[in-house]
Structure formats: structure tokens, C-alpha cells
Amino acid sequence: MAQLWGGRFTKATDQMVFDFNASIRFDSRLFRQDVEGSIAHAAMLARQGILSKEDKDAIINGLQGILKDVESDRLPIDMTQEDVHSFVEAKLIERIGDAGKRLHTGRSRNDQVALDMRLYTRERLLETDRLLKGLLEVLLHTMEENLDTYMPGFTHLQKAQPITLAHHYGAYFEMFRRDRGRLSDIYHRMNYCPLGAGALAGTTYPLDREYTAKLLGFDGATRNSLDSVADRDYLIEFLAALSTIMMHLSRFSEEIILWNSNEYQFVELDDAYSTGSSIMPQKKNPDIAELVRGKTGRVYGALLSLLTTMKGLPLAYNKDMQEDKELSFDAMDTVTDCVALFTGMLRTIRFHKERMARSAMNGFTNATDAADYLVNKGVPFRDAHGIIGRLVLYCIDRDKAIDELSLEELRSICPKFDEDLYEAISLKTCVEKRLTLGGPGKEAMRKVIEEYRAYLSEDHNTRRRLPMREITDGNRKKDRRRSI
Ligand code: ARG
């Protein structure tokens, strides 16, 4: 809908200009947040005596009606409007007349969009956090069940030392726990309300910004009106955290893909989480893991795109900032889908434990332990390292493992070897003896697992009632505000 911009303009916007400028195609996602922000604003205006009680009631009822009608699909969002803010205001005026024209008192679309986007991002952040918690639950469950499931640990993708599946998963538990920590930091930094900043310089109306902030579940109001309308740091931080989550998921995906390959055969993906080939009947492809790995790129893209958009912008609002939405929405959707699907895939994956243990037994994963054995017999570590190196070479020539050699053979290389070597370098000993805090030994792992259980039972996600509920008498379907 080409628009005549009030008295300053003598002709309507060119249609192509209007379409290029319009954002409703994507910012209609902010509809509910726009209505919630408007309700809080109207309540505050009335409390400050800027709006009469009658007008406030008409506005809030009108807004609630619009919300209900749109959410129940009785009212379609009018895509010919420029943006979601214009749609809500126009619809309100159409429904309640002059009172609706007073809603925008002391407000600009600049602080309005800053608020809506912050409310939306806050919800998506909490949703991401909940999904990560679900993923951690699955990881921890698998860890608890697999304290004795031996597998090779790798460096340079070469077998290095034996570990357990619990230990391997524990590494990812740490990564995703840090990801949640990042989300929590961002939440606490971003949870301030920009509404009341006006176009850039506040307003002459006696607004109570702290009151609006409280109604909307913020920890307070922002402290500089220029920054309030110009800040997109919180979104950049969130995209950076999402990128890190994807980086972690992508590394994990890569391992699942390897483990699922014919060469490894460590895992069997559930049929529901894998796909077949249209031509090769024997194939069972790890498409979910591959797609998660592949989609990592678009999330990084969203981060780089917003950083680039913001880098040259003078204060305060510039239309460039409308570009903060489409790719961010895509990144948020991508990450929630990826975490949810990955969690489902891990919940149903099966492990070929025998094969994993056998794989841990070859490849000289006990060579370090053999060297440590000699150290315990008084050989300096550097010398022991050299002796075991020669021993490995001897084994490779004969296609044998260290513990397959006879005591005579062992002694021909170093007379310090005794019968007790076999026990000292068995797979079980190699793992169980590694009791350093953070190591794979069962007792060490048990302690860490206990901590993880306690961490997951902490209530990071308690639902809290929005204070605004008292004003809107519970019309809204869901209370999405949570603490983190
Ligand atoms: N659609 C705009 C955005 O997303 C809303 C703010 C418009 N403000 C303005 N001064 N034109 O940024």
C-alpha cells in the first residue's frame, strides 16, 4: 500500500520504493511482541496521566482483540502495510477510532522496533537454552550407561589412548554447558528495556520507563536513548553464541558421520534418523548429521552479515538496521531445528560396544602405559619412550600388539619387562588407572557425572509470571517469560 506520509509530503511513495522499504514480509514475526509492548506503553501512559483511563482501556481491549484474532487466524496480517508496527496501529485505529491515534504518544518506531526485536530475541534465547538442556540430559544419560564402554581416543585422527564413551560424551557435555553459560550471560546483559528512547532523544512527556520495563519482564530500563535505538550488540552476541553452538554440533556431527562409516562401524543410526539411497540399496546415510554440519555455514553467515551491516553506522537509528532481521530469524530457526533433531538422533543411536573396544585395543593405544610401566621400574621417561618406540616398530614388522608378544620377546628389547606388564597395559587398566580429575577412569568420571546431575537439576528455567498479566487480565495464551 503506497503511502502518503502526512503533511510534509505532496505525493505518495513510488510503489517500488515502498516495496523495497517495507519489512512486513519478515517483521510480521514480531506481531505478538509489538502488541505486548504497545499494551505496556499504554498502561504506563495512563499511569502517568498522559492518557485517560477510558482511552487506555479502549486501547488495551482493542489490542487484545487484535492479538486474539490474529492468533486464532480470524484476522490475517495485512501484507500491504509497511511494517508490523503500522499494521497494529492502523488496525487499532480502524477498530476503536480516535483513542487508537493516541497510542503512539511519546513513542517512535525506532524504540518500538528496538523493543520488539529484543523481546523476540529474548524468547528465542530461552527456547535455545531449553533445547540445549534437553541435549545435555541425553548426553548425561548415555554417559551414565557407558562408564565401561571402551573406545579409542584420538589425536590427529590417529588412535592415541583408550577412553570410554562416557568420557567422550563428557567433552560435548562441557561444550554445550558453556554454550548455555554464554546464553545466560547474554540474557543478563540484554534484559533492559529500550522503550521510551523515542526516535533518539527521549521525549518531553513524563514517561516512567522503569515501570514499562517492569511490565515487560526486564531488569530495568536502558540508560542512553541514542544507544537504545542503535544497539544491536545483544543480537550480535546471540548470533555469536548460536555460531558456537553450531560449531560444536558440527564437530559432533563429523564424529557421528565417521563412526557411522563402514570403516569405523561404531554406531548404528536409528532408521527414523537416517535416509537411504535412491540407487544403492545397502546405504544408510547420516543425513541429519551432514545437514547440521552443512547448516553451520548459514548461521556464521548471519553473524558476519550483521557485524558488517553495523560497522559503519553513525548514531543513532539508520534504516540499514532493518537488515538485522531476516538472516537472524533464519539463524535462530536453524539452530533450534538442529539442536532438536540432533538430540533425537542421539537419543536413538545404538553403539557397537564390542567393535569400539576392539578398535581401542589395536593401534598401540597402550604404548604410553607401557612406557609408564618402565618408568615405574626406574627407567627415565625419555629412555622409556625410546624403548617403547622400538618395541612398536618390532610389533608392526610382525603385525602384533604389544600384549601379544611373549615375555622373551619383550625382554629382548628391554630386560626390565616382567609378567605383570600384561595386566599393566590391559585395556581395562589403561582406562581405569586414569583417575586424574577430568580423566576417563570410572571413579573420576563418577564424580564429574554427579556434578553434572546436580547442575541439570538446578532450575535455570523457572517460569515467571509477567507483571503485565495483572493489567491484561490474562488474555494472552502463554506466559513466555522465564528466568535463566
Ligand atoms: N522496519 C523498521 C526496522 O525494522 C522499523 C523502524 C522504522 N524506523 C524508521 N525511522 N524508519 O528497522
Side-chain angles (χ1 to χ4, degrees), residues 64-172:
Q64 286 181 325
I66 294 169
L67 181 62
K68 211 157 110 209
D69 291 351
V70 169
E71 287 195 335
S72 60
D73 291 331
R74 279 199 299 267
L75 174 65
I77 292 183
D78 175 5
M79 289 295 161
T80 64
Q81 289 286 347
E82 184 194 343
D83 56 30
V84 71
H85 326 295
S86 320
F87 164 71
V88 172
E89 195 179 342
K91 191 47 69 183
L92 184 68
I93 295 169
E94 184 191 306
R95 288 194 174 184
I96 69 166
D98 274 357
K101 294 184 185 164
R102 297 188 206 282
L103 169 63
H104 211 51
T105 312
R107 189 175 70 166
S108 151
R109 277 190 302 165
N110 295 353
D111 58 347
Q112 195 176 351
V113 76
L115 170 69
D116 294 0
M117 194 62 186
R118 223 175 252 245
L119 287 171
Y120 182 82
T121 304
R122 188 176 72 178
E123 285 182 24
R124 297 303 303 263
L125 183 148
L126 292 170
E127 180 190 2
T128 309
D129 182 66
R130 272 196 311 282
L131 287 167
L132 283 179
K133 190 174 184 193
L135 173 57
L136 288 177
E137 296 278 5
V138 171
L139 290 180
L140 189 55
H141 179 73
T142 309
M143 288 170 71
E144 285 164 338
E145 310 257 287
N146 288 283
L147 286 164
D148 296 310
T149 306
Y150 301 126
M151 63 178 282
F154 298 84
T155 62
H156 314 272
L157 200 50
Q158 303 197 59
K159 287 181 197 175
Q161 290 170 346
I163 55 169
T164 63
L165 179 59
H167 192 234
H168 197 102
Y169 265 38
Y172 285 101

Side-chain angles (χ1 to χ4, degrees), residues 257-384:
I257 293 161
L258 282 172
W259 293 353
N260 183 63
S261 69
N262 254 325
E263 284 65 29
Y264 279 74
Q265 293 176 35
F266 282 8
V267 296
E268 171 91 31
L269 295 174
D270 193 83
D271 283 359
Y273 283 91
S274 40
T275 54
S277 156
S278 60
I279 176 167
M280 296 165 284
Q282 82 280 17
K283 285 267 179 127
K284 205 169 143 184
N285 295 329
D287 283 23
I288 298 299
E290 288 175 20
L291 270 174
V292 169
R293 188 178 59 183
K295 284 177 188 291
T296 303
R298 63 202 281 170
V299 179
Y300 293 1
L303 170 63
L304 260 294
S305 160
L306 187 57
L307 279 169
T308 312
T309 296
M310 295 302 293
K311 77 179 260 295
L313 297 189
L315 291 176
Y317 177 84
N318 301 270
K319 191 70 180 223
D320 314 45
M321 289 158 76
Q322 181 166 289
E323 287 296 310
D324 67 350
K325 295 182 190 62
E326 282 167 285
L327 294 185
S328 300
F329 293 156
D330 181 80
M332 296 173 196
D333 294 347
T334 301
V335 175
T336 42
D337 284 356
C338 286
V339 179
L341 279 163
F342 204 86
T343 304
M345 182 181 73
L346 290 191
R347 194 180 289 121
T348 52
I349 204 167
R350 278 184 307 280
F351 293 94
H352 296 312
K353 299 184 185 181
E354 265 301 302
R355 221 188 130 83
M356 291 163 79
R358 242 182 301 127
S359 169
M361 270 186 255
N362 56 47
F364 304 103
T365 57
N366 53 4
T368 318
D369 298 83
D372 289 342
Y373 170 89
L374 290 179
V375 170
N376 283 328
K377 300 263 170 180
V379 181
F381 182 77
R382 212 22 82 206
D383 294 341

